[in-house]
Amino acid sequence: MSYRDVATKQVLIWSCTSVGARMPVAMAPLALVFLVRERPGGYALGAVLAAVYVLGEIVGAPALGLRLRPDRARRQLAGGLVAGTAGFVGLGVFPGAHPVVLAAFAFVAGGAPAASAGALRALLTDLVPARAVAQAMSAETMLMSGVWAVSPAAVTGLALGAAPRLPLLLAAVLMASAVAGLWLLPAGWGRDDTPGQGQGKEGAGPSLLGLLVGAWPVFVTGAASLTLLGLAELVLPALLEQRGIGVGWSGPILAGMAVAAGLGAFLYGLRTWPGRLRTRSVVLIVGMAVCVAGAALIPTMAGIAAALAVSGMLQSGALLTRNLSLREALPPSTLAAAYSVMYAAAGAGYAAAGSFAGALLQVTAPSTAVLAGVALTLLLTAVGWWGETRSGGRAARGADTVVTAAPAGSVGSVGDPAAPGCLDAPGPEGTAIRGGGDPEHRL
């Protein structure tokens, strides 16, 4: 297996477009803090604005993602990105506005383009051959790891070296460039005759919402991995202080986690891996939990950094298995909505980690708070694995209903076992899935 099939002009254009759409997301929370920090109570206001921004993402991703349609995805994405650009422009042009006005701009900037993450992922997997889907998703994870590693330095440099409004204006320019990039890419992605999309037989099969609800175990385990990582990140300064280590090491340690996450994504796409996707996911999340628990117990800075770096590497692989599991469980036309719901679930998990950490730190030591988060993550992972195990049998019994919704003789019909539409239909994990997401079978 290699990344040759991903090294194309179209994927390069997609990468530039994706950076334009996603870097503002990585910049926004810290940029909002710098925007208002010189006001009275500025840090508290900045935290509130950042929370409102994340809330916009959590609300907007599923609400808008469920409305995405493959045949008019470009127009829908462009509309959301334009609205998001306007939100960032409002924040950058009117930094002294009333907090309620700033909160409204922040909510629009976070919510309006929130479905773009899922839609761009669906578009990416349509730009590469089926055998390279796992490599494409790994490349996306590496790209996003780089974005998240660079963004804090860019925001800090611009806000302190020039003006606090500049990071938000840069975010607006980047998001506007993503709108332009959409017109250099296909207008949508491959469609199927999935019921609930208006393409199958009337009344045949479950609705889009029903299909997504049926994939709840995948969303639960995806959120669990982000909850654990978010808890580790948010508690890290307090943990370092507890160990008598300078809190200034938090930045380098977190940067190391981001780099390790990109390396983990690269390694995942290099070869095939044994076992079913749900089994791989559980192994990776349990490995993450062990590393984060180790970071809570290790007394040295080097040990904490190493443990968190390994956890970041495993976490990127865990999220890849979750996204590949969605491809296995759902028809192609629902994937953009599914990725958007996964994005919202991850955001909700991260936000919950912040609340959980804040509550625990009031009553217990940082190391104990991390260990409690590890226990919660393992519980959520067990629930998700149990749900996937049970849903596998139901998918086997219901697979024919979904597949036969396509007109006879069309691509992906039951009579053509090699057709892409058929291979994308939900199915059981009754046989071991080849590593790398079983790309030949378009998970």
Side-chain angles (χ1 to χ4, degrees):
M1 299 182 69
S2 71
Y3 285 91
R4 288 194 191 94
D5 291 317
V6 181
T8 66
K9 180 181 178 181
Q10 283 289 83
V11 172
L12 177 61
I13 295 172
W14 177 92
S15 298
C16 295
T17 303
S18 189
V19 168
R22 301 296 296 140
M23 192 163 179
V25 176
M27 295 171 63
L30 185 58
L32 288 168
V33 172
F34 277 113
L35 182 70
V36 297
R37 74 186 182 97
E38 295 182 359
R39 288 190 179 192
Y43 283 110
L45 176 58
V48 170
L49 293 177
V52 170
Y53 178 86
V54 174
L55 178 63
E57 290 188 290
I58 293 172
V59 172
L64 299 177
L66 288 172
R67 296 177 178 273
L68 284 173
R69 295 295 180 266
D71 55 341
R72 54 178 184 271
R74 178 190 287 163
R75 287 177 294 168
Q76 292 177 300
L77 288 179
L81 291 171
V82 167
T85 300
F88 280 112
V89 168
L91 290 165
V93 173
F94 305 107
H98 191 277
V100 173
V101 176
L102 293 179
F105 283 137
F107 187 86
V108 171
S116 63
L120 285 170
R121 181 176 297 131
L123 181 57
L124 171 64
T125 57
D126 207 53
L127 292 175
V128 299
R131 65 180 178 272
V133 166
Q135 286 69 39
M137 286 191 173
S138 295
E140 180 200 20
T141 302
M142 287 186 278
L143 182 66
M144 292 303 106
S145 296
V147 165
W148 282 90
V150 168
S151 294
V155 170
T156 303
L158 287 173
L160 298 181
R165 69 175 68 191
L166 280 185
L168 292 159
L169 294 176
L170 174 61
V173 171
L174 288 169
M175 194 160 279
S177 73
V179 177
L182 290 176
W183 264 261
L184 299 176
L185 294 169
W189 50 85
R191 290 175 289 175
D192 61 4
D193 295 319
T194 303
Q197 298 295 310
Q199 297 166 349
K201 295 179 182 179
E202 185 176 355
S207 65
L208 171 60
L209 183 59
L211 288 168
L212 294 178
V213 169
W216 68 265
V218 184
F219 300 127
V220 168
T221 47
S225 65
L226 261 294
T227 300
L228 179 59
L229 199 65
L231 183 69
E233 291 178 357
L234 295 169
V235 179
L236 179 60
L239 180 64
L240 293 178
E241 188 173 353
Q242 179 189 358
R243 300 296 185 217
I245 302 168
V247 295
W249 284 104
S250 299
I253 290 174
L254 293 178
M257 284 180 66
V259 173
L263 176 61
F266 175 76
L267 293 175
Y268 189 91
L270 270 184
R271 53 154 294 173
T272 59
W273 299 93
R276 299 167 178 153
L277 283 170
R278 66 170 180 255
T279 304
R280 272 182 262 160
S281 178
V282 169
V283 170
L284 290 167
I285 294 177
V286 170
M288 267 185 69
V290 170
C291 291
V292 173
L297 299 174
I298 294 172
T300 64
M301 189 271 291
I304 293 172
L308 291 181
V310 175
S311 73
M313 185 183 301
L314 296 175
Q315 191 264 346
S316 63
L319 276 186
L320 282 168
T321 62
R322 298 296 79 202
N323 287 322
L324 290 167
S325 291
L326 288 177
R327 288 181 61 83
E328 179 186 65
L330 298 171
S333 64
T334 68
L335 288 176
Y339 294 145
S340 295
V341 173
M342 177 67 84
Y343 181 76
Y350 197 93
S355 301
F356 189 60
L360 287 177
L361 288 176
Q362 299 296 320
V363 297
T364 189
S367 57
T368 306
V370 173
L371 293 176
V374 168
L376 176 61
T377 297
L378 293 175
L379 176 62
L380 291 174
T381 302
V383 171
W385 180 84
W386 171 79
E388 284 193 82
T389 302
R390 291 186 70 242
S391 64
R394 288 197 298 270
R397 292 190 295 271
D400 289 342
T401 302
V402 176
V403 176
T404 55
S410 66
V411 175
S413 65
V414 178
D416 181 6
C422 178
L423 296 173
D424 274 312
E429 290 190 6
T431 57
I433 297 171
R434 290 195 296 275
D438 197 19
E440 286 79 13
H441 286 262
R442 298 194 63 185
L443 296 179

